[in-house]
């Protein structure tokens, strides 16, 4: 017989492999656009963020507008070293998930906003309706750094509109900060209008007779409204500060523009509060309608059970097989029993119908 090969020597559990070093991604990968604006006009050509800032400071006028998308720690550290951004704000920009707020680090303003997007959906479908992102805007005397997370910020359209309005761009980085804030708040108005249309359709469906009510979809929309309120509500104080605080490094004309943005934001906040109350009332109405429908169904079932009990009772009595029972030996006993059954059942049906049980 062939010999059995010896077992290999046991060396204990294998050691976990050494993690591979992370390959740094160039900062240019996170840059969406980088431009230099002098006297309200964009300079031709392409610039790196270092070259753009150096160009502005060599000229002694203009500003840099840099757009970033989901930068990592190394990329954001490189940007921070170039523009002199505070380390705490840089950490917030990388990790995101911040509440809307306004902070000031020396001459740099940091505004955090949460843009929202509305997804088209079926009325009674349970799905995500409102999606939120995040925008962090760093504003200095000669630069604007916009860091966005998510896919629906729309900053390219804001940049295009501003480049078509040199008078506003001459106001400097503050004009860019206002344009972005104005775009975000205007987008809030569009989203709340779409939600209002959904609520109107749900109200019509809830109060339509004999319609099926999907309480789950109403509750889902209520949750989405809560998420929208979390994105919109905290922005009120930063907008008030930007429109009223004269100590901020913003031109007077830009502060006037921010007053209009704050007014629009107040309108959005008020409508969101109304949505929350309306959806709460709709949920109560839908549950009440379901309870009424269940009560109606139970009355119908009870009425038919009562009608069916009449022939069941009579058949049960005459099915007891006793020898001496009335009408068993008569020729008219069987049809008489049917006449009695039909008469009683018809009478019960008429009574239940008059009382709206059937």
């Amino acid at each position: 017989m062939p010999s059995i090969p010896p077992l290999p020597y046991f060396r204990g559990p294998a050691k976990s492999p050494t993690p591979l070093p992370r390959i740094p991604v160039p900062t240019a990968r996170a840059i969406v656009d980088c431009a230099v604006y002098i006297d309200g006009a964009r300079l031709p050509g392409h610039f790196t963020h270092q070259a753009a800032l150096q160009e502005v400071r060599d000229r002694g006028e203009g500003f840099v507008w840099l757009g970033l998308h989901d930068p990592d720690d190394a990329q954001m550290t490189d940007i921070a070293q170039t523009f002199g951004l505070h380390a705490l704000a840089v950490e917030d920009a990388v990790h995101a998930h911040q509440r809307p707020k306004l902070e000031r680090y020396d001459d740099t303003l940091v505004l955090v906003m949460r843009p929202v997007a509305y997804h088209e959906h079926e009325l009674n479908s349970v799905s995500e309706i409102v999606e939120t992102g995040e925008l962090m805007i760093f504003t200095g005397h000669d630069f604007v750094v916009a860091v966005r997370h998510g896919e629906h910020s729309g900053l390219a359209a804001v940049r295009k509109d501003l480049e078509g309005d040199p008078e506003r761009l001459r106001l400097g980085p503050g004009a860019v900060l206002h344009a972005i804030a104005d775009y975000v708040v205007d987008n809030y108005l569009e989203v709340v209008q779409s939600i209002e249309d959904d609520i109107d359709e749900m109200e019509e469906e809830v109060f339509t007779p004999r319609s099926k009510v999907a309480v789950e979809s109403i509750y889902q929309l209520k949750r989405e409204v809560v998420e929208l309120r979390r994105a919109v509500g905290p922005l009120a104080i930063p907008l008030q500060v930007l429109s009223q605080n004269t100590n901020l490094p913003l031109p007077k004309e830009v502060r006037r523009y921010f007053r209009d943005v704050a007014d629009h934001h107040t309108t959005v906040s008020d409508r969101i509060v109304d949505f929350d109350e309306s959806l709460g009332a709709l949920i109560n109405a839908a549950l009440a309608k379901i309870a009424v429908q269940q009560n109606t169904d139970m009355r119908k079932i009870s009425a038919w059970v009562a009608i069916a009990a009449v022939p069941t009772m009579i058949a049960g009595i005459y099915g007891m097989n006793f020898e001496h029972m009335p009408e068993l030996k008569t020729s008219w006993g069987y049809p008489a029993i049917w006449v009695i059954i039909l008469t009683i059942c018809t009478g019960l049906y008429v009574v239940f119908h008059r009382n709206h049980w059937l």
Side-chain angles (χ1 to χ4, degrees):
M1 296 179 62
S3 61
I4 300 175
L7 296 174
Y9 178 70
F10 180 71
R11 299 178 179 273
K15 296 182 179 179
S16 59
T18 304
L20 296 176
R22 184 177 180 180
I23 301 177
V25 180
T27 305
R29 292 284 186 89
I31 296 177
V32 179
D33 198 357
C34 180
V36 175
Y37 296 91
I38 305 296
D39 194 27
R42 177 171 180 163
L43 293 184
H46 298 280
F47 294 88
T48 64
H49 57 286
Q50 298 97 335
L53 187 61
Q54 189 62 43
E55 178 72 19
V56 168
R57 293 181 175 174
D58 289 343
R59 289 173 174 262
E61 60 176 346
F63 65 93
V64 178
W65 184 355
L66 175 66
L68 301 172
H69 181 219
D70 286 331
D72 58 22
D73 289 319
Q75 294 168 340
M76 199 64 208
T77 299
D78 182 21
I79 298 296
Q81 291 174 351
T82 301
F83 291 91
L85 306 180
H86 197 277
L88 292 176
V90 170
E91 182 180 357
D92 292 343
V94 173
H95 299 290
H97 304 294
Q98 303 295 316
R99 296 178 74 250
K101 61 182 179 179
L102 175 67
E103 294 181 341
R104 181 176 181 179
Y105 300 93
D106 297 328
D107 291 334
T108 302
L109 294 178
V110 182
L111 178 62
V112 180
M113 294 177 290
R114 295 183 64 185
V116 297
Y118 178 84
H119 293 282
E120 295 294 337
H121 61 283
E122 296 295 331
L123 182 60
N124 290 326
S125 65
V126 179
S127 60
E128 187 176 30
I129 301 171
V130 177
E131 180 183 353
T132 60
E134 186 168 322
L135 272 174
M136 180 171 284
I137 314 299
F138 299 84
T139 307
H141 72 280
D142 58 0
F143 66 85
V144 177
V145 177
V147 182
R148 68 179 176 92
H149 297 271
E151 301 296 335
H152 50 269
S153 65
L155 293 188
V158 176
R159 186 187 292 265
K160 183 177 180 180
D161 290 342
L162 274 180
E163 289 177 355
D165 190 356
E167 291 298 326
R168 291 178 62 190
L169 276 177
R170 289 191 182 98
L171 297 175
V176 177
L177 181 64
H178 161 264
I180 296 175
D182 185 55
Y183 173 81
V184 171
V185 174
D186 285 347
N187 194 38
Y188 290 162
L189 289 170
E190 295 177 2
V191 171
V192 297
Q193 182 60 51
S194 298
I195 293 178
E196 185 175 6
D197 294 339
D198 281 349
I199 294 176
D200 291 341
E201 292 183 21
M202 286 182 175
E203 287 180 347
E204 183 178 356
E205 184 174 359
V206 167
F207 294 106
T208 298
R210 295 181 298 277
S211 63
K212 294 183 179 180
V213 180
V215 181
E216 296 85 357
S217 61
I218 302 177
Y219 183 75
Q220 173 70 16
L221 185 57
K222 186 176 176 63
R223 290 295 303 271
E224 295 295 325
V225 169
V226 171
E227 181 67 21
L228 179 62
R229 183 172 58 189
R230 291 174 181 171
V232 173
L235 189 58
I237 295 178
L239 291 177
Q240 290 179 1
V241 172
L242 289 169
S243 62
Q244 298 174 4
N245 193 337
T246 58
N247 295 324
L248 295 179
L250 291 175
K252 182 178 180 180
E253 189 67 21
V254 172
R255 289 201 304 272
R256 291 176 179 173
Y257 288 147
F258 270 110
R259 293 174 190 171
D260 181 66
V261 178
D263 290 340
H264 290 173
H265 182 271
T266 301
T267 300
V268 173
S269 299
D270 292 342
R271 294 177 70 178
I272 290 176
V273 172
D274 294 339
F275 292 163
D276 192 44
E277 295 176 355
S278 298
L279 289 171
L282 272 182
I283 291 177
N284 293 332
L287 293 176
K289 185 176 181 179
I290 292 174
V292 170
Q293 184 64 42
Q294 290 176 342
N295 186 31
T296 302
D297 294 340
M298 288 301 301
R299 287 191 301 177
K300 289 182 178 180
I301 293 173
S302 300
W304 285 115
V305 168
I307 294 173
V310 174
T312 302
M313 180 187 67
I314 296 177
I317 293 174
Y318 281 89
M320 292 187 293
N321 296 322
F322 288 108
E323 182 178 355
H324 301 287
M325 293 185 69
E327 294 87 24
L328 288 180
K329 303 298 183 179
T330 60
S331 60
W332 49 266
Y334 177 75
I337 291 300
W338 271 112
V339 170
I340 294 173
I341 291 175
L342 293 176
T343 301
I344 297 175
C345 291
T346 303
L348 289 176
Y349 179 85
V350 172
V351 172
F352 289 138
H353 187 71
R354 289 179 177 177
N355 292 326
H356 303 288
W357 282 43
L358 291 175

